[in-house]
Amino acid sequence: MEKKVLIVDDEQRIIQSITGVLEDEGFRVVTARSGEEAIAVFEKEQPDVTLLDIWMPGWMGWKS
């Protein structure tokens, strides 16, 4: 069974780098670039694990 990882980061370069590594290792990767998008993707995709950037504009890892 393929494991699913959600990557949340506002920097596209970071998303691309982590995605490449994880896909090479056989993971399915879904991504989000904001806190709002992350919540929607998380609810829809139900990932096995989430890698979360805690320093994002407006959210900083939690809803402020």
Side-chain angles (χ1 to χ4, degrees):
M1 178 182 197
E2 191 176 55
K3 297 294 182 179
K4 191 183 313 179
V5 178
L6 168 58
I7 301 170
V8 182
D9 202 297
D10 58 322
E11 294 183 45
Q12 186 61 32
R13 284 185 5 246
I14 292 174
I15 289 175
Q16 290 172 334
S17 295
I18 297 171
T19 296
V21 171
L22 292 174
E23 287 179 342
D24 285 349
E25 295 298 322
F27 292 93
R28 180 166 173 250
V29 177
V30 292
T31 65
R33 296 199 52 195
S34 70
E36 296 91 348
E37 184 181 2
I39 290 170
V41 172
F42 187 90
E43 289 174 347
K44 178 182 177 197
E45 298 289 338
Q46 299 181 353
D48 297 291
V49 68
T50 299
L51 303 177
L52 175 64
D53 177 3
I54 61 169
W55 299 106
M56 292 192 307
W59 279 69
M60 298 196 325
W62 63 87
K63 188 172 182 180
S64 49

